[in-house]
Amino acid sequence: MIHKTGERPLPQQVRAATFDTRRRGLDPAQVYAYLDRLADEMERLRRELTTATTEAERIRQALRQWQSRQSVGRHADTTHHREAR
């Protein structure tokens, strides 16, 4: 199996990769051990990306709420300041 350009490989695709055998080729056990480590790293990075994306969304929502509260507060201060004149 060869990875197509432009597609992001999934960890299970890395693990399932197969290669043609050639005389005097690479040690298949080493190749597959390396692919397993690579797939493990891909899974770890995907988990970290999911966590970071979730945290970023939580922060965006908190910022929006804070901005809304600040906007309401400024509006109330402006109204109160005008009435005091």
Side-chain angles (χ1 to χ4, degrees):
M1 176 191 91
I2 300 295
H3 175 68
K4 295 179 184 176
T5 305
E7 292 182 5
R8 290 185 177 179
L10 299 172
Q12 57 270 27
Q13 290 171 318
V14 172
R15 283 194 175 88
T18 57
F19 301 90
D20 296 335
T21 52
R22 299 277 191 260
R23 203 163 112 164
R24 296 185 182 166
L26 299 173
D27 178 356
Q30 288 180 342
V31 170
Y32 291 115
Y34 180 78
L35 290 176
D36 277 341
R37 287 196 321 265
L38 179 62
D40 289 344
E41 179 66 6
M42 289 173 68
E43 287 175 341
R44 184 188 68 78
L45 291 171
R46 284 178 179 267
R47 283 191 305 271
E48 285 183 11
L49 177 60
T50 299
T51 300
T53 301
T54 300
E55 181 65 5
E57 182 56 33
R58 186 192 67 76
I59 290 169
R60 274 193 293 276
Q61 289 177 359
L63 177 59
R64 283 188 208 110
Q65 291 173 356
W66 179 84
Q67 287 172 327
S68 292
R69 287 192 304 269
Q70 294 301 311
S71 177
V72 168
R74 266 188 257 124
H75 180 69
D77 287 345
T78 303
T79 303
H80 177 69
H81 181 68
R82 285 183 188 157
E83 291 173 357
R85 285 186 184 175

